[in-house]
Amino acid sequence: MSDTELTEQITQLANTNELLVERLAALELALEDRDWIRFIGQGEREFTREGLKTITEIARLMYLKNPLIGRGVSVKRFYVWGQGVNIHAPDPDINATLQAFLDDGKNKTELTSHQARMLKEVDLEVEGNIFFVFFTNPSTGVVRLRTVPFDEITEVITNPEDCKEPWYYKRSWQSTSVDASGIATTETRCDYYPDWRYAPANGRQTIGNDAVHWDSPVYHVKVGGFSDWRFGLSEIYAAIDWAKAYKSFLENWATI
């Protein structure tokens, strides 16, 4: 084989390789486009629950792995909570009750301590949703605060005539129990929790076969998205593509 023929073959292989790379890129772009259509199309105006789950998983990884995203989240939480906050009521009796709530050990772990507030700010920015649950002791009136993980709230049921008025939050999760012999069993559970503002005169005790916990109302805090969305959207979602592109730019620059 002559040098000319060898050169022509190398050129053809290079052109073929370039064409394959372009086609693979086009296929990847088409796949990405289909994902966006599926995420939005199935929910019409809002991302589907599976779409939100995927976005949230990516956002968590980006917060942990990408220093640009991580620093952006940290700057905001330092700005919001860096100097702490003092909460009090002018009325002495109300203030006593308020301070008892703020000083409760379990409430401090969940929200009312400085560290807990900083961590909740991260949760809100990265996941776009926080579901606070209020557990009230009927005998003493003491209120304990907890949160339900975003992944466990699978549906928000709203007023059929007003999508901005939430009625119930559907929670699905894996419950693990250990018997006397030390054997652990896991079962899938599903319950409903009312919104803290929803108090009908005769509230239903079950939805289907699942219980409604009227003694544990939910306060949903959400950011991102639009006002008529049932769920919020991660605040770092819009920066993910830019952060990835800038990472690639720095890697390319480092090779020069």
Side-chain angles (χ1 to χ4, degrees), residues 57-74 126 236 239-251:
E57 289 173 350
I58 295 172
R60 289 173 184 148
L61 291 174
M62 290 294 289
Y63 167 70
L64 294 173
K65 188 176 186 299
N66 189 288
L68 295 172
I69 296 295
R71 183 57 181 169
V73 172
S74 295
V126 174
I236 68 175
I240 289 176
D241 291 340
W242 180 86
K244 288 180 178 179
Y246 193 68
K247 173 179 176 292
S248 298
F249 166 76
L250 292 178
E251 290 173 345

Side-chain angles (χ1 to χ4, degrees), residues 104-252:
D104 183 280
K106 292 189 175 181
N107 291 341
K108 280 189 171 182
T109 301
E110 188 62 57
L111 178 66
T112 60
S113 69
H114 179 70
Q115 182 182 24
R117 290 174 182 136
M118 297 278 277
L119 293 174
K120 277 291 176 286
E121 184 67 30
V122 173
D123 292 345
L124 186 61
E125 289 186 63
V126 174
E127 298 182 347
N129 298 268
I130 297 179
F131 297 92
F132 290 106
V133 186
F134 300 97
F135 296 94
T136 304
N137 187 317
S139 300
T140 63
V142 173
V143 177
R144 288 276 169 74
L145 186 64
R146 282 293 180 267
T147 53
V148 178
F150 169 66
D151 292 338
E152 293 183 1
I153 301 296
T154 58
E155 186 178 357
V156 179
I157 300 173
T158 63
N159 182 342
E161 299 179 356
D162 185 359
C163 64
K164 295 183 180 181
E165 181 185 343
W167 282 2
Y168 303 100
Y169 299 88
K170 181 179 180 181
R171 180 190 179 197
S172 301
W173 78 103
Q174 298 292 321
S175 177
T176 302
S177 59
V178 181
D179 60 20
S181 61
I183 298 176
T185 57
T186 301
E187 63 174 341
T188 300
R189 295 187 56 185
C190 180
D191 284 330
Y192 290 85
Y193 299 80
D195 186 84
W196 69 286
R197 293 160 296 188
Y198 182 54
N202 297 307
R204 55 194 308 168
Q205 299 303 308
T206 60
I207 297 179
N209 296 322
D210 303 315
V212 178
H213 296 273
W214 290 102
D215 58 343
S216 306
V218 167
Y219 174 50
H220 180 199
V221 181
K222 62 179 181 178
V223 295
F226 297 94
S227 62
D228 59 344
W229 283 18
R230 289 171 171 80
F231 292 93
L233 181 66
S234 172
E235 289 191 301
I236 68 175
Y237 169 63
I240 289 176
D241 291 340
W242 180 86
K244 288 180 178 179
Y246 193 68
K247 173 179 176 292
S248 298
F249 166 76
L250 292 178
E251 290 173 345
N252 294 335

